[in-house]
Amino acid sequence: MAKLRVLVLVRDGHVPPDSLEGYTEDQWSPWKAEFDICETLRGLGHEVLPLGIYDDLGPIRKALGEFQPDITYMLLEEFHGVVTYDFAVISYLELMQQAYSGCNPRGLLLSKDKALSKKILTYHRIPTPRFAVFKKGRAVRRPKRLPFPLFVKSVVEDASFGISQASIVHTDEALTERVEFIHEKTGADAIVEQYIEGRELYCGVIGNDRLQCFPAWEMDFGTLPDDAARIATSRVKWDRKYQERHDITTHAAQGIDDAMQQKIAKICKRVYRALGMTGYGRMDLRLTPGGEIFVIEANANPNIEYGEDFAESAEAAGISYEALIQRILNLGLAYKADWMA
């Protein structure tokens, strides 16, 4: 295996130390993914330079000139605090003729825009909940084709930002209130979609042209009250005390036979290709009691921290964490950007 110079782009303030020694979990939790990846790359024999970025491309240009990396490992999820600008950083790397890990700019842009991606999925007849977008500053008028209950969230934010039990609405008054809340809290338009009752599944996909789907993973909502919607709220996803109190976990989906797993994999590959994704991604799905699969959203460059869902599902597919990180690196080196033509 060739030893490479790897530039790792991380959020400013998330440049990891060489060791976790002396740090508490509260201290290392924000940059644990960055630490895991840098440590693993070094363990694989690569020379690694982590670089913190917030609102300036200058340090990237300097590092490309001085460090001369063979590839850049893309861990940035935003630029200048804007979550949709990660595609612009990748575009810059392409302009600089620099290989990078993860998804290409077009795939990042399409998958981050929930409304646009759903339009594309609908065109390709890939099952996804019916939806409408409510622009900031405009009156909230529910289309008749959207019956209650409805799920209200930001059209661009991810990581369950702005999502709570109040995101599921049952009346026009509650819909108006929640849409206005999303407008104010996120500064973005709101997307309102059919709420699909069922199991919350996640499916990892990896590859550029030849794709592999990992076994379906499931969010287990544990002991949440019966009247609580089974959705991945911000508390469900990030509040460890809340997770422990309600025994909320994620694990390999149980009771899914080979035929259903193949059906899930086929749909996820169709989504990946329809949105022009490369590198690796995760599909969020709903599986109804009747066996219908709905694609909720596609996530390019999901969290690949050790022990998290994507890495765990890769492990279930027989891919160790070290092999996963190296494979993502190899896919980045193999991706044929336009400048290579």
Side-chain angles (χ1 to χ4, degrees):
M1 180 175 62
K3 307 305 179 184
L4 305 171
R5 289 187 303 277
V6 185
L7 176 66
V8 181
L9 297 186
V10 305
R11 182 179 177 178
D12 188 38
H14 286 195
V15 174
D18 292 336
S19 170
L20 294 181
E21 187 175 351
Y23 292 91
T24 65
E25 182 176 350
D26 286 342
Q27 289 175 318
W28 56 248
S29 181
W31 40 261
K32 179 61 163 49
E34 289 84 351
F35 173 82
D36 288 342
I37 291 157
C38 288
E39 181 185 48
T40 301
L41 287 169
R42 291 189 182 104
L44 290 166
H46 303 304
E47 185 181 354
V48 177
L49 175 64
L51 181 65
I53 298 296
Y54 179 66
D55 62 355
D56 185 6
L57 295 174
I60 300 177
R61 184 181 182 90
K62 182 179 179 182
L64 294 179
E66 296 180 355
F67 185 57
Q68 295 190 343
D70 297 295
I71 185 170
T72 293
Y73 222 96
M74 177 63 173
L75 298 183
L76 276 178
E77 296 180 346
E78 59 185 41
F79 185 79
H80 211 160
V82 181
V83 296
T84 53
Y85 282 180
D86 53 357
F87 90 94
V89 177
I90 290 296
S91 297
Y92 177 72
L93 292 175
E94 287 211 358
L95 292 176
M96 297 298 290
Q97 300 190 351
Q98 169 66 30
Y100 54 84
S101 72
C103 193
N104 67 81
R106 186 182 295 109
L108 272 173
L109 179 63
L110 293 178
S111 60
K112 274 288 179 71
D113 188 325
K114 295 181 178 66
L116 182 55
S117 64
K118 283 180 179 292
K119 290 176 183 177
I120 294 171
L121 298 187
T122 300
Y123 173 82
H124 287 281
R125 298 185 180 180
I126 297 171
T128 189
R130 285 175 289 176
F131 73 97
V133 174
F134 292 86
K135 299 282 188 180
K136 285 185 63 181
R138 295 187 185 177
V140 178
R141 295 189 178 90
R142 175 176 60 90
K144 292 182 179 180
R145 61 185 173 79
L146 285 182
F148 294 109
L150 296 171
F151 194 170
V152 186
K153 51 191 174 183
S154 166
V155 78
V156 295
E157 294 287 350
D158 55 12
S160 294
F161 185 74
I163 296 179
S164 70
Q165 286 293 320
S167 300
I168 307 298
V169 298
H170 298 266
T171 67
D172 285 309
E173 293 76 14
L175 172 63
T176 298
E177 181 180 336
R178 194 64 191 179
V179 167
E180 290 175 349
F181 168 83
I182 290 295
H183 288 167
E184 182 178 347
K185 185 174 180 65
T186 70
D189 297 337
I191 186 169
V192 177
E193 65 183 29
Q194 234 184 322
Y195 172 58
I196 305 297
E197 191 70 53
R199 299 169 66 177
E200 176 99 356
L201 302 182
Y202 309 115
C203 187
V205 183
I206 191 168
N208 294 336
D209 300 312
R210 298 181 62 184
L211 307 181
Q212 178 182 1
C213 286
F214 300 149
W217 230 240
E218 181 170 10
M219 172 73 75
D220 186 333
F221 294 94
T223 62
L224 277 184
D226 291 340
D227 60 350
R230 267 46 184 175
I231 58 174
T233 65
S234 182
R235 293 184 76 186
V236 163
K237 209 160 189 178
W238 304 111
D239 189 331
R240 296 200 176 188
K241 291 182 179 179
Y242 186 79
Q243 294 168 354
E244 292 170 1
R245 184 161 69 250
H246 292 288
D247 195 25
I248 297 169
T249 59
T250 57
H251 51 70
Q254 303 297 310
I256 292 183
D257 60 23
D258 289 344
M260 179 56 74
Q261 183 64 59
Q262 289 175 12
K263 183 179 179 182
I264 290 171
K266 183 178 180 180
I267 288 175
C268 290
K269 288 178 181 179
R270 288 181 64 201
V271 173
Y272 198 88
R273 291 191 170 105
L275 298 179
M277 298 169 70
T278 53
Y280 62 103
R282 188 195 74 236
M283 307 304 158
D284 295 359
L285 313 168
R286 279 272 165 162
L287 177 61
T288 71
E292 291 181 282
I293 300 168
F294 287 85
V295 178
I296 303 302
E297 59 186 56
N299 299 275
N301 297 358
N303 184 8
I304 48 173
E305 178 181 333
Y306 179 76
E308 288 298 317
D309 297 345
F310 192 90
E312 288 287 285
S313 59
E315 185 81 35
I319 303 173
S320 68
Y321 190 67
E322 291 77 12
L324 176 65
I325 298 305
Q326 181 63 48
R327 187 166 173 184
I328 290 172
L329 197 71
N330 293 343
L331 286 167
L333 291 168
Y335 175 68
K336 301 301 182 184
D338 289 345
W339 63 267
M340 296 179 178

